[in-house]
Amino acid sequence: MDSSVEDFRQFSIFVQSRIEQKMDRETYDNQKLKAYLLGEPSGADADAFDEASFTDENFGAALSAAENDLIDAYLQNELRGAELKKFESVYLSTKHRREKIEFARALQTFAGKEILNSKTETEKTGFFAWRNIFGNRNRALQFGFAAAALLVLFFGIFWFTILRRENAGGEIVLKKTPTPENSAAVNQNSAPENKNSNESVPSAIQNPANENSQNSNEKMPETNKRSANVNKNSNEKNQTPDKKIPVSIPQEPLIATFFLAPPLRGANKIPLFDVPKNASQINVELQIEADDYKTYHVTLTNETGDINLWRRSSLKAKSKGANKFLNVNFPAKLLGNGFYSLTVSGVNENGEAEIVANYPFRIGEK
Amino acid sequence: MQNSQPKKNWLITSESFARLLEWLDDGAGSDGQKYLEIRRLLVNYFDRKNCRSPEELADETLNRVARRLEEEGKIESETPAKFCYITARFVFLESLRRKENKSVSIDEIKADKIILKDETNEKELNEKMLACLEKCVGELDGTNREMIVKYYYGAERVKIENRRSLADKLGVSSNALTIRACRVRDKLEVCVKKCAAKDE
């Protein structure tokens, strides 16, 4: 019995290698396979594909691979427009295929965890292993650093909301900076604008698996509320349109700030931001899942990823509570309406850059 | 050419099942693996046709093929895979006719339309699936385990770079790596389904 099992195993390996060799010579049109999976060809074409899926092993293997790639692309938000609509309306219509999606999601989550665990294991060995202060034997140090991180966070919020607002002007989160010429218009419109800007922020916040990002982003609307209250108070005091708003000093350029959480390997939509037309700079806070590198590069690319629009090197991660962030600032004129991506790469000990994460986002009405 | 009308009283026996396995193997001696493969192809076929119960229809197809083998002793007109496909087409067309004639109850319509939105339940299902996946991946050999993890890690450029370096490391082409990963993934999917069903 054991020999027959071994014979079968050898036979399977032989068959598999022959199929792989033959597949090297034959390639199938991936677009046609995708279209077939999304129900597009009908009649004789569909019948031909149906039959080939049984009778041609190579076609069957290519079809299976195309299906897996399609599912993975959907989970990683790589499908767009009509293809995405087709996928959601046709492919997701059966329970069997929805179960395949769930399995694929679990597989991606598992793969991510395994890779992170293998990185952590590497850090725990070797010459610098004893310096791993986040290891199991250093609970006291862990709590100490957590407490210190909380103190830094509170101080950071204090500085950002009170000290910074007193000392600087013009750097307003998703809000217009009034100039002496239009201070009247801004005074009248500031409350509704704050409401509008806060409505666009949740597109970056609504990330149900990432509660930390939600907590840190909830601070932003409070900041805007506080600014709105100050403006409201100044409205009540200053009835004439010529009076200036004490909060903002119009000499500084307008900076629009938004936050991007790490892209989850799941069916999440790409965040959409509305950047004010007169914003001169865009400030982005990129949350990273782990601070594994000393320095980072961040590259801004177009939708297809083949054109680099802007790049910044030698960035260091900053802490906000338990979370790590990279802060980047680039000219607003680089962005028009459309899809973009910020790619974060970590620089390893050999000086080589390794891609850590991609943060896709979309700019709406500008 | 083929009598596709089902005989309602016919039941598959162990002898007819063994004959079916032997015929599907076509002399290769796959120890039932060919049956499982054909069944998988049938399930996928009926699923692509948006049939509500692809597994039931796949089993009905194989039952008919087994009946035909028992009645005629052998089928030599087509290869096993093609014959199964032809039978599946008839089964599919009949299922369409049945669907047109059958009145569907409101409960069935509701059952189709309701998508589970209970987050707690969904979270538990995901955790169970991850636990099963960990168990199933643990049963793979070292090479396949490393391959499947690295193949599915990352997004866009990270994923492409990982796959390229993985193919180089294994000494295979990208196409060959894709097929290999696909096969391991299919095996894992079957394993996880069995594991999850066992725990229920």
Side-chain angles (χ1 to χ4, degrees), chain B residues 22-54:
Chain B
E22 196 185 328
W23 175 76
L24 287 172
D25 282 345
D26 209 8
S30 72
D31 207 23
Q33 294 300 316
K34 196 67 185 170
Y35 168 84
L36 292 174
E37 175 66 16
I38 290 281
R39 189 177 182 276
R40 187 184 70 83
L41 293 177
L42 286 166
V43 169
N44 287 342
Y45 167 76
F46 288 115
D47 186 45
R48 281 195 298 273
K49 298 296 184 193
N50 296 327
C51 297
R52 196 181 293 167
S53 311

Side-chain angles (χ1 to χ4, degrees), chain B residues 22 31 40 80 104 122 132 141 157 159 172 175 185 196:
Chain B
E22 196 185 328
D31 207 23
R40 187 184 70 83
V104 182
E122 205 172 308
C132 285
D141 62 69
R157 271 192 237 146
K159 189 168 66 179
V172 297
N175 268 350
R185 177 174 171 150

Side-chain angles (χ1 to χ4, degrees), chain A residues 201-273:
Chain A
V201 166
S203 65
I205 296 173
Q206 283 168 5
N207 198 338
N210 197 336
E211 291 174 8
N212 286 336
S213 68
Q214 272 194 353
N215 289 336
S216 61
N217 271 309
E218 277 164 10
K219 304 289 180 202
M220 290 166 68
E222 285 176 16
T223 309
N224 285 335
K225 279 182 198 169
R226 211 170 286 150
S227 303
N229 286 337
V230 170
N231 283 330
K232 188 182 165 191
N233 290 336
S234 66
N235 278 341
E236 287 167 0
K237 288 179 191 171
N238 305 314
Q239 296 301 319
T240 63
D242 294 331
K243 297 276 173 106
K244 288 182 187 176
I245 299 173
V247 172
S248 52
I249 299 168
Q251 291 86 2
E252 297 292 330
L254 175 63
I255 299 176
T257 299
F258 55 84
F259 164 84
L260 285 171
L264 289 183
R265 296 174 187 90
N268 289 308
K269 294 193 175 175
I270 294 177
L272 167 68
F273 302 103

Side-chain angles (χ1 to χ4, degrees), chain A residues 23-24 50 76 94 97 305, chain B residues 47 49-50 154 157 173 179:
Chain A
M23 268 295 285
D24 278 349
D50 287 341
Q76 287 166 347
T94 71
R97 292 198 287 249
Chain B
D47 186 45
K49 298 296 184 193
N50 296 327
R157 271 192 237 146
S173 68
I179 298 168

